[in-house]
Amino acid sequence: MLELWNVYGLPLAFMLLHIGAIVGAVLLAVAYYTYAERKVLGAMQRRQGPMTVGPFGLLQPIADGIKLLSKETIIPSQANRAVFVLAPMMLFTLALVAWAVIPIDYKLVLADINVGILYLFAISSMGVYGIIMAGWASNSKYAFLGAMRSSSQMVSYEVSMGLVIVTVLLCTGSLNLTEIIMADRPAWVQVMLFPMLIVFLVSILAECNRAPFDLPEGESEITGGFMVEYSSMTFALFFLGEYANMILMSAMTVVLFLGGWLPPFGIEALAVVPGFVWFVLKTFLIMFFFLWARATFPRYRYDQLMRLGWKIFLPFTLIWVLVVAGSLIAFDALPE
Amino acid sequence: MISAIAFYLFALMTVFAAIMVITAKNPVHSVLFLILAFFNAAGLFVLLGAEFVAMILVIVYVGAVAVLFLFVVMMLDISFSELRQGALQYVPIGLVVGGILLAELIFIFVGWHIAPSAMDNRITPMDQTVQNTEALGRVLYTDYIFAFQVSGLILLVAMIGAIVLTHRRRPGVRRQKIADQNARRPQDVLDIQKVTPGKGI
């Protein structure tokens, strides 16, 4: 019995604790990301944002959460019940399981699998199902239109995101996220990756359905998009999933381009600060970019969105993959 | 023990989902069960130690192909109950195809079991020392690069062929041409005139 506990029980207990810590941290981050969003948007529009609940409005997310929980869950009578309830759960679960492979510090990762980046990509490409299922199961025109918009947008931008990831992999020579961060990249490779960082940042905006690509939930045209029929807890799950996805995509950008937990610009003196602090700070930077973009750009038109994805990003990233691969071979800088 | 439990879980779910694909009343439910089957098949690949194939299966089939299936099934108003009327007459064909596949699998596995040296006759034996991503890359992009490129070209030709066959140019459609819009200059399209009061232009 003791042996069974030592072989399975103890590791399982540690793993459950680790999972609990990750999920707790992500949920807390999501709650305060909504607060940060309102504060940042307020500051950019010269207002104060939430100020009433708690000091500086700091308890606002908790109040919002309690409000959502205490509301009534409405399931439309024409809806396909099972799929309708399953959709938000799926979106939320997918947004959380992806965190299993994100290395927050050296060796501080739940599952250090050797195809980590593919796992992330696979999980984020499955996110589209939660949305299609929600739109279809609601049995409502607006929800269906929103789901159609969202899924075609996500599928389109995934193509260029995949090519961006391929370019980074060419420079690092591994699919493991820890090795991607630790890979030794010369300065000129960093410069060549910079255009891909821009493409990736725009693509994650589209992938997360965020402004200026938030057509799936364009209030003025299709009211609330795919989640128009959802209320209370089911709506809260969509909301949490969406923000958790944004934080996940920020972390992914940090892993691929900004060197993860390593101190910025390779300054050794800054290594006294623990690695996870750098990881969190860099993630905050990209998360701020999401809010900044929302406050700055007007919403795209649908054909403009598709044009950007298929006619500009796809050819550009394709050519850039070849350029980067060619220069890596020419300068003999291909990783082992 | 854990891997055995995981195997039976994934295998049972795959079989269950596959049965539901052909028995579900609602076509959209069928596609959703198909996705569940793909996903569990990916789990089986992970158990086999082929994590690269598993992830590619999820990215390509679940993330892209099945989305298109779902789109088509949702958009077209197909009455599946009518389609299902004559479905039973195809059962013999299905049984034959399934039987052939099963027989082939049995031949291979029994052959390996009886004569383990048959494994050495494989054209490209797996290098056990490298990860499967690298092993696949070596086989596809180094050893058989030309065959791989040719198959890619054939697919490209098929794709272009499908576009050429189905694309029709509709006359009278007004499209936005951004280059033309950007090329417009005020002097080409504006004419400034002095209008004296009391007279028209």
Side-chain angles (χ1 to χ4, degrees):
Chain A
M1 198 63 208
L2 190 72
E3 196 185 2
L4 200 66
W5 166 252
N6 279 336
V7 177
Y8 293 115
L10 211 58
L12 188 73
F14 269 122
M15 202 177 274
L16 285 179
L17 270 180
H18 199 156
I19 292 173
I22 291 176
V23 169
V26 170
L27 287 185
L28 195 71
V30 165
Y32 278 90
Y33 194 24
T34 61
Y35 172 77
E37 172 164 37
R38 295 170 69 175
K39 276 289 186 194
V40 168
L41 284 183
M44 287 187 181
Q45 296 161 357
R46 307 200 69 181
R47 343 178 240 109
Q48 283 193 314
M51 282 299 278
T52 330
V53 190
F56 304 105
L58 269 172
L59 296 177
Q60 184 70 44
I62 295 160
D64 283 343
I66 293 170
K67 181 198 76 177
L68 274 175
L69 282 179
S70 59
K71 283 192 165 183
E72 184 192 353
T73 308
I74 300 169
I75 298 182
S77 57
Q78 293 292 307
N80 195 316
R81 281 184 83 94
V83 183
F84 187 84
V85 178
L86 203 63
M89 291 184 199
M90 189 166 160
L91 202 83
F92 182 62
T93 316
L94 285 177
L96 287 184
V97 291
W99 283 93
V101 295
I102 299 274
I104 297 161
D105 199 346
Y106 184 66
K107 293 291 170 199
L108 188 62
V109 49
L110 187 61
D112 195 17
I113 59 177
N114 54 15
V115 287
I117 189 69
L118 286 180
Y119 173 82
L120 270 186
F121 197 57
I123 295 294
S124 74
S125 73
M126 280 180 65
V128 66
Y129 284 110
I131 291 168
I132 304 187
M133 280 159 72
W136 177 78
S138 305
N139 215 341
S140 140
K141 289 188 203 72
Y142 293 123
F144 193 57
L145 281 174
M148 285 287 141
R149 283 187 176 191
S150 170
S151 45
S152 50
Q153 171 178 334
M154 287 170 85
V155 171
S156 311
Y157 278 84
E158 229 150 57
V159 182
S160 45
M161 257 176 84
L163 286 168
V164 170
I165 291 175
V166 165
T167 329
V168 176
L169 295 184
L170 277 175
C171 304
T172 54
S174 172
L175 295 171
N176 180 300
L177 291 177
T178 307
E179 284 174 35
I180 287 176
I181 293 175
M182 300 291 277
D184 183 31
R185 300 182 206 177
W188 66 271
V189 172
Q190 297 276 30
V191 172
M192 290 204 78
L193 282 179
F194 187 70
M196 286 311 213
L197 172 63
I198 307 283
V199 172
F200 196 76
L201 283 176
V202 179
S203 298
I204 60 175
L205 282 181
E207 189 75 8
C208 295
N209 296 327
R210 287 291 294 182
F213 305 113
D214 59 343
L215 302 118
E217 42 200 273
E219 307 86 0
S220 47
E221 309 133 47
I222 50 174
T223 61
F226 56 87
M227 40 176 150
V228 69
E229 302 289 346
Y230 283 88
S231 62
S232 175
M233 204 54 219
T234 49
F235 173 78
L237 283 184
F238 269 124
F239 199 72
L240 290 173
E242 195 183 317
Y243 279 78
N245 248 333
M246 281 155 65
I247 302 175
L248 174 73
M249 288 293 170
S250 310
M252 203 165 149
T253 319
V254 170
V255 167
L256 287 176
F257 292 100
L258 304 186
W261 64 79
L262 300 174
F265 306 113
I267 302 170
E268 289 298 323
L270 290 175
V272 290
V273 182
F276 72 89
V277 174
W278 285 124
F279 189 89
V280 169
L281 283 180
K282 287 172 179 178
T283 311
F284 280 173
L285 187 74
I286 308 291
M287 282 158 69
F288 176 74
F289 162 78
F290 271 96
L291 308 180
W292 190 15
R294 176 171 172 186
T296 312
F297 297 112
R299 189 177 292 142
Y300 259 50
R301 217 172 54 210
Y302 198 68
D303 59 318
Q304 292 171 329
L305 172 83
M306 285 296 156
R307 179 173 171 270
L308 183 69
W310 289 106
K311 291 189 181 171
I312 298 173
F313 278 1
L314 181 59
F316 174 75
T317 44
L318 256 180
I319 291 170
W320 206 249
V321 168
L322 293 182
V323 170
V324 170
S327 16
L328 284 175
I329 289 178
F331 296 109
D332 202 22
L334 268 180
E336 277 304 305
Chain B
M1 189 181 86
I2 297 271
S3 61
I5 295 173
F7 168 76
Y8 284 113
L9 183 74
F10 283 128
L12 276 179
M13 284 304 286
T14 313
V15 173
F16 165 74
I19 292 172
M20 288 307 286
V21 171
I22 49 172
T23 52
K25 288 242 163 46
N26 193 326
V28 174
H29 289 179
S30 283
V31 179
L32 292 177
F33 276 113
L34 184 66
I35 293 158
L36 184 64
F38 282 150
F39 194 72
N40 283 294
L44 289 175
F45 273 122
V46 170
L47 286 181
L48 279 175
E51 65 269 9
F52 183 77
V53 183
M55 293 305 152
I56 292 298
L57 183 75
V58 175
I59 293 171
V60 174
Y61 281 88
V62 178
V65 174
V67 174
L68 294 182
F69 275 6
L70 206 54
F71 263 128
V72 171
V73 171
M74 282 176 180
M75 303 286 261
L76 300 181
D77 193 18
I78 315 167
S79 165
F80 267 66
S81 52
E82 274 176 35
L83 273 179
R84 203 167 276 146
Q85 299 279 308
L88 270 183
Q89 61 183 336
Y90 298 114
V91 167
I93 303 176
L95 282 180
V96 168
V97 173
I100 290 173
L101 286 176
L102 186 66
E104 284 175 349
L105 282 179
I106 289 173
F107 277 133
I108 291 173
F109 281 107
V110 172
W112 284 350
H113 193 71
I114 295 173
S117 56
M119 290 283 267
D120 301 335
N121 288 338
R122 285 174 302 173
I123 300 173
T124 40
M126 281 280 276
D127 186 354
Q128 298 294 340
T129 56
V130 297
Q131 291 176 2
N132 61 58
T133 314
E134 198 178 333
L136 271 174
R138 279 189 192 164
V139 171
L140 285 182
Y141 290 99
T142 308
D143 298 346
Y144 296 100
I145 177 71
F146 293 113
F148 188 66
Q149 291 290 336
V150 166
S151 54
L153 273 181
I154 293 172
L155 284 176
L156 180 69
V157 169
M159 191 177 81
I160 294 174
I163 294 172
V164 169
L165 287 177
T166 54
H167 184 74
R168 61 198 169 97
R169 199 166 274 288
R170 281 176 299 174
V173 178
R174 291 159 62 105
R175 287 180 197 282
Q176 182 185 21
K177 287 181 189 139
I178 292 172
D180 288 1
Q181 289 176 338
N182 286 337
R184 262 164 81 101
R185 290 284 166 267
Q187 54 268 29
D188 302 336
V189 288
L190 283 181
D191 190 18
I192 297 170
Q193 303 223 341
K194 280 253 185 261
V195 183
T196 44
K199 287 182 183 170
I201 299 169

